């Protein structure tokens, strides 16, 4: 820390050492020999203290922001809900198709009808 | 990088309504104050603060800790929204609008006098270039740390100090007559 750096800190952050960089505060304070060192900066700080304070956020704003947070949570959950719904529907449809599927005996009959030679009685009857 | 809000943001991202409310209680006032100091208009400041939090809700589920502090990210979003609004104002209105100095003639009433002085300071701040005003809002009024203010402005700390020094120099010049008046009254 030298005198130039001290002056640069005061020029940037003003006279109140609370606003000075924490890592340089202690060293900078050693350069404060008298009130004249900070007089101009202190005068400007005093003027800035006259600036009106911003009003606090309204209750309506707080409510709007929190309502949007809830809406955002729902929209974030929507894809997961849709996926879960698809999985449930898949299980239901699969189970339903399973109930309507042919039994083992039915399959045997169908295979017989498709690939085996017709009975001789049936052939004679036809002739 | 250590972020005091990291756990809070993770919980917000996971859908914790209590965490969302805590984040609002913790940061809404400062974000709103910053927007108010940048824009000088309460309704616009509320719009900006609302948009910052809307974006925060969308960002939280995908936020990667360690890249930046969530608070500085929110301040940066707020400043960018303010810059956009100020740019639109410049395009549609008289560039001198809103920074006209009120009549500095002294009044008999002390309250009127105090209001005039307050208005003068506000006007001098409003007349600063945007980034100087933002730097002073963050460091002087919000008392944010140098590192966080620089990150919010997307600047190095050296560049932040340069902005602050130029801003304060301009303010000192534009309020020089008040200083004399203040001493005379003080």
């Amino acid at each position: 820390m030298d005198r130039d750096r001290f002056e640069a800190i005061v020029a940037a952050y003003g006279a109140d050492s609370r606003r000075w960089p924490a890592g340089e505060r202690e060293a900078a304070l050693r350069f404060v020999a008298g009130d004249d060192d900070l007089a101009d900066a202190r005068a400007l700080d005093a003027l800035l203290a006259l600036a009106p304070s911003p009003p606090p956020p309204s209750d309506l704003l707080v409510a709007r922001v929190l309502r949007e947070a809830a809406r955002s949570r729902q929209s974030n959950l929507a894809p997961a809900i849709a996926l879960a719904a698809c999985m449930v529907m898949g299980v239901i449809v699969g189970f339903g198709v399973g109930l309507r599927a042919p039994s083992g005996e039915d399959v045997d009959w169908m295979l017989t009808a498709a690939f085996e030679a017709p009975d001789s009685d049936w052939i004679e009857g036809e002739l | 990088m250590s972020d005091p809000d990291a756990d809070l943001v993770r919980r917000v991202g996971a859908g914790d309504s209590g965490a969302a409310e805590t984040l609002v209680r913790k940061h809404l006032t400062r974000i709103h104050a910053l927007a108010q100091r940048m824009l000088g208009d309460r309704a616009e400041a509320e719009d900006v603060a609302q948009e910052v939090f809307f974006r925060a809700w969308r960002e939280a589920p995908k936020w990667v800790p360690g890249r930046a502090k969530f608070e500085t990210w929110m301040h940066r979003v707020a400043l960018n929204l303010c810059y956009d609004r100020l740019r639109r104002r410049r395009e549609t209105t008289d560039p001198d609008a809103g920074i006209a100095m009120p009549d500095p003639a002294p009044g008999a009433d002390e309250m009127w006098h105090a209001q005039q002085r307050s208005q003068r300071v506000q006007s001098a701040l409003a007349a600063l270039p945007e980034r100087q005003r933002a730097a002073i809002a963050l460091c002087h009024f919000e008392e944010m740390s140098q590192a966080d203010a620089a990150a919010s402005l997307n600047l190095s700390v050296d560049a932040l100090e340069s902005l602050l020094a130029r801003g304060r120099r301009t303010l000192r010049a534009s309020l020089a007559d008040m200083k004399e008046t203040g001493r005379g009254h003080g």
Side-chain angles (χ1 to χ4, degrees), chain A residues 61-69, chain B residues 24 28 49-50 53-54 57:
Chain A
L61 173 61
V62 174
R64 280 204 306 260
V65 166
L66 289 175
R67 195 167 54 238
E68 182 63 23
Chain B
V24 170
L28 179 61
Q50 177 176 297
F53 276 87
F54 284 10
W57 305 144

Side-chain angles (χ1 to χ4, degrees), chain A residues 5 11-14 18-19 21 40-41 43-45 47 50 52 54-56 58 61 64-65 68-69 73 76, chain B residues 15 17 24 28 32 36-37 42 46 50 53-54 57 61 117-118 121-122 140-141 143 146 161 164-165 168 179:
Chain A
R5 177 60 189 151
Y13 302 107
R18 283 180 311 144
R19 295 191 180 95
D40 282 346
L44 181 58
D45 288 348
L47 288 174
L50 299 175
S58 67
L61 173 61
R64 280 204 306 260
V65 166
E68 182 63 23
R73 276 196 301 277
N76 286 339
Chain B
S17 60
V24 170
L28 179 61
H32 177 258
Q36 174 78 28
R37 290 190 193 283
R42 184 169 190 176
E46 293 219 339
Q50 177 176 297
F53 276 87
F54 284 10
W57 305 144
R117 287 165 61 78
S118 177
V121 174
Q122 188 173 25
H140 186 88
F141 291 109
E143 299 190 1
Q146 290 73 35
E161 289 190 356
L164 286 167
R168 288 179 64 92
K179 205 165 80 172

Side-chain angles (χ1 to χ4, degrees), chain B residues 1-94:
Chain B
M1 174 178 294
S2 168
D3 183 354
D5 292 325
D7 185 56
L8 200 55
V9 175
R10 183 190 57 73
R11 285 163 48 209
V12 170
D16 182 336
S17 60
E21 188 165 345
T22 303
L23 198 75
V24 170
R25 303 282 174 211
K26 190 173 176 189
H27 294 299
L28 179 61
T29 300
R30 291 184 84 185
I31 294 289
H32 177 258
L34 175 64
Q36 174 78 28
R37 290 190 193 283
M38 289 301 294
L39 299 169
D41 181 282
R42 184 169 190 176
E44 281 199 281
E46 293 219 339
D47 286 348
V48 165
Q50 177 176 297
E51 179 61 27
V52 168
F53 276 87
F54 284 10
R55 292 188 189 191
W57 305 144
R58 291 199 295 271
E59 186 70 19
K62 53 189 178 188
W63 181 255
V64 179
R67 286 183 314 183
K69 286 185 182 176
F70 200 71
E71 181 188 13
T72 58
W73 175 83
M74 286 198 294
H75 277 82
R76 193 185 295 187
V77 171
L79 285 171
N80 286 336
L81 290 168
C82 289
Y83 294 153
D84 286 346
R85 283 171 180 263
L86 291 167
R87 187 166 50 245
R88 283 203 295 275
R89 261 191 219 172
R90 277 197 303 274
E91 288 166 0
T92 55
T93 60
D94 177 357

Side-chain angles (χ1 to χ4, degrees), chain A residues 82-99:
Chain A
L83 180 64
C86 285
M87 290 171 69
V88 169
M89 281 302 292
V91 169
I92 291 170
V93 169
F95 187 70
V97 168
L99 285 177

